[in-house]
């Protein structure tokens, strides 16, 4: 798979992100207004300066009115998008392509989800679709299959594998304790994580991301116009989306130790960005840690670790905040929860802060100038994947 790409043709010049958590007293519109106003202020623009808007949400609104009504946008193009857990990232992708095409000069991507008062448990979802895309298991059950499959394929002792996924949860909660926007802001001991009540297979409750409310927004302009808005724009290097065939458990050749959709979208994004060695060239990566074994497998699918070695790299601290390649330095879904429409743009917000040197206690100083976000929607064998690469410097 390959795309022509839009490397360095558009730039992000403003972003906003709400605190994620239990916002019982606020509706999706309130959260969108807060994130949008922060993005406007960040870029030094007003609502009227934006030519077109996108809003990503899985279940917290329908149509462009989800955004136009609370933001009081009159008679401009406002489009709602949805693509499982890649929904927020799809909002960004559409805004970037719209500006790169020349159709608009200034576009805004937004994402929101209000889950805490919707009855959404985080473990199952209803109503189930009737178009043939319904999954065969709950999300925890589906992702729990990774653990025994990985142990069997690579001959890893189950106790050592449990230590590795426990380290991932410990790392992300430790990072989240440094982030004022995170839902869960305290460190959790490895003993507490390892002994948490089982949910599915080897997965305990602390191996799962939480349920939260939140919103985020980004303003996109032509790259040549970027410094009119900020002296530190973030350039879009690559945007890739891959939807799998959805054969899932019906495909006997699928072994639950990889996400082919991630491999394909990463290869496409790297080709667009001209990225040859992501482990060495990226400052950080924000990846979809919906469940701890997901993050472990993603390290291999994204080319950060050799096949069968990610668990060792995790235990060695390779992906810790002070490691070779920090992964989920903002705390990830483990600390933020997963308000679906907002998560992709929340990941991008951490890249925005880190690449501009504004991440405070979490600031990474490894001298690199590119960052990656990755979303995975669906489940093993039945997924969509989004990968972006952004950078603080235009290509030479």
């Amino acid at each position: 798979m390959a795309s022509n790409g839009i490397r360095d043709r558009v730039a992000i010049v403003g972003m906003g992100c709400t605190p994620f958590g239990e916002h019982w007293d606020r509706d999706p519109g309130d959260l969108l207004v807060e994130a949008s106003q922060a993005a406007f202020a960040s870029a030094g623009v007003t609502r009227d300066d934006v030519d077109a808007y996108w809003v990503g949400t899985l279940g917290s609104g329908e149509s462009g009115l989800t955004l136009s009504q609370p933001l009081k946008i009159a008679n401009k193009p406002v489009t709602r998008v949805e693509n499982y857990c890649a929904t927020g990232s799809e909002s960004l992708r559409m805004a970037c392509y719209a500006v790169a095409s020349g159709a608009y000069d200034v576009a805004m991507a937004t994402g929101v989800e209000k889950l805490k008062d919707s009855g959404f448990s985080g473990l199952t979802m209803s109503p189930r679709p009737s178009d043939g895309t319904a999954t065969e298991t709950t999300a925890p059950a589906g992702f729990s299959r990774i653990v025994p499959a990985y142990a069997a394929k690579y001959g890893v002792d189950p106790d050592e594998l449990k230590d590795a996924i426990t380290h991932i949860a410990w790392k992300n909660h430790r990072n989240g304790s440094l982030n004022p926007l995170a839902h869960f802001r305290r460190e959790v001991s490895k003993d507490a994580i390892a002994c948490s009540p089982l949910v599915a297979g080897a997965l305990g409750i602390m191996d799962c991301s939480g349920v939260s409310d939140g919103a985020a927004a980004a303003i996109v302009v032509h790259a040549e116009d970027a410094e009119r808005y900020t002296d530190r724009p973030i350039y879009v290097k690559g945007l890739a989306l891959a939807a799998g065939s959805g054969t899932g458990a019906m495909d006997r050749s699928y072994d639950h130790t990889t996400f082919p959709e991630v491999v394909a979208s990463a290869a496409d994004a790297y080709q667009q960005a001209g990225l040859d060695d992501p482990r060495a060239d990226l400052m950080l990566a924000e990846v979809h840690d919906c469940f701890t074994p997901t993050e472990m497998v993603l390290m291999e699918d994204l080319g950060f670790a050799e096949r069968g070695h990610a668990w060792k790299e995790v235990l060695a601290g390779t992906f810790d905040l002070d490691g070779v390649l920090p992964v989920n330095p903002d705390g990830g879904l483990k600390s933020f929860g997963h308000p679906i429409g907002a998560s992709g743009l929340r990941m991008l917000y951490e890249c925005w802060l880190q690449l501009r040197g504004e991440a405070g206690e979490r600031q990474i100083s490894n001298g690199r100038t590119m960052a990656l976000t990755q979303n995975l929607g669906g489940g093993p064998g039945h997924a969509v994947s989004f990968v972006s690469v952004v950078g603080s410097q235009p290509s030479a």
Side-chain angles (χ1 to χ4, degrees):
M1 184 178 75
S3 304
N4 292 328
I6 57 170
R7 179 167 54 172
D8 293 333
R9 290 169 59 182
V10 303
I12 298 158
V13 295
M15 284 206 74
C17 184
T18 69
F20 280 33
E22 298 181 349
H23 294 298
W24 299 107
D25 59 340
R26 311 182 70 192
D27 66 18
D30 296 326
L31 296 170
L32 282 169
V33 168
E34 180 178 337
S36 299
Q37 294 291 3
F40 292 148
S42 175
V45 301
T46 70
R47 172 194 61 192
D48 295 336
D49 294 322
V50 178
D51 301 317
Y53 293 83
W54 278 261
V55 56
T57 186
L58 180 68
S60 295
E62 296 181 347
S63 83
L65 288 168
T66 302
L67 180 67
S68 66
Q69 184 167 312
L71 214 56
K72 303 294 189 290
I73 302 166
N75 303 319
K76 288 194 175 186
V78 184
T79 306
R80 177 206 170 200
V81 296
E82 181 279 316
N83 208 349
Y84 278 176
C85 300
T87 292
S89 294
E90 279 287 65
S91 177
L92 174 74
R93 196 168 70 101
M94 296 301 101
C96 289
Y97 285 167
V99 173
S101 74
Y104 303 107
D105 293 328
V106 184
M108 174 180 269
T110 68
V112 68
E113 214 71 59
K114 188 78 176 64
L115 297 176
K116 292 301 295 188
D117 53 3
S118 69
F120 181 68
S121 70
L123 299 178
T124 58
M125 187 168 181
S126 62
R128 290 171 60 81
S130 59
D131 60 356
T133 62
T135 56
E136 298 151 337
T137 64
T138 64
F143 284 91
S144 73
R145 293 172 175 170
I146 294 172
V147 178
Y150 190 96
K153 181 172 182 176
Y154 297 113
V156 184
D157 181 274
D159 290 338
E160 289 184 300
L161 202 55
K162 180 68 174 177
D163 288 344
I165 63 175
T166 295
H167 186 99
I168 289 169
W170 170 83
K171 166 183 70 73
N172 290 350
H173 278 292
R174 189 181 192 198
N175 293 347
S177 73
L178 304 175
N179 195 326
L181 298 182
H183 185 171
F184 305 106
R185 291 200 60 204
R186 66 179 178 87
E187 294 189 44
V188 182
S189 72
K190 291 184 179 179
D191 284 345
I193 294 166
C195 297
S196 64
L198 293 177
V199 174
L203 298 187
I205 191 71
M206 292 303 296
D207 291 299
C208 311
S209 61
V211 179
S212 296
D213 308 325
I219 295 176
V220 180
V221 303
H222 300 290
E224 60 268 30
D225 297 335
E227 294 195 356
R228 288 169 44 195
Y229 300 90
T230 176
D231 59 355
R232 288 172 291 168
I234 302 302
Y235 299 91
V236 173
K237 305 289 183 180
L239 301 168
L241 180 85
S245 62
T247 50
M250 299 300 291
D251 183 355
R252 294 188 177 185
S253 67
Y254 181 63
D255 67 2
H256 286 78
T257 65
T258 181
F259 300 99
E261 301 87 352
V262 177
V263 176
S265 55
D268 188 20
Y270 296 163
Q271 179 270 328
Q272 293 177 40
L275 193 60
D276 297 323
D277 187 351
R279 173 174 165 135
D281 294 339
L282 291 170
M283 170 192 276
L284 71 141
E286 285 284 324
V287 308
H288 202 83
D289 59 321
C290 52
F291 301 94
T292 51
T294 312
E295 180 173 317
M296 181 184 69
V297 168
L298 289 176
M299 298 303 94
E300 299 179 4
D301 286 345
L302 292 167
F304 302 163
E306 294 181 20
R307 291 284 173 197
H309 290 259
W311 67 278
K312 296 179 184 176
E313 300 266 24
V314 166
L315 289 173
T318 299
F319 309 116
D320 291 359
L321 189 58
D322 59 354
V324 174
L325 173 57
V327 172
N328 290 329
D330 71 345
L333 274 66
K334 281 295 295 145
S335 294
F336 272 82
H338 185 21
I340 299 163
S343 289
L345 287 164
R346 184 269 301 162
M347 294 174 172
L348 183 68
Y349 187 68
E350 179 68 3
C351 299
W352 165 263
L353 294 177
Q354 292 283 356
L355 290 169
R356 290 162 54 93
E358 298 174 347
E361 293 180 271
R362 308 183 314 283
Q363 184 62 49
I364 299 164
S365 301
N366 56 22
R368 303 169 192 165
T369 61
M370 289 194 285
L372 174 146
T373 71
Q374 186 275 328
N375 285 123
L376 181 69
H382 187 273
V384 297
S385 172
F386 170 87
V387 174
S388 80
V389 178
V390 295
S392 58
Q393 303 294 328
S395 300

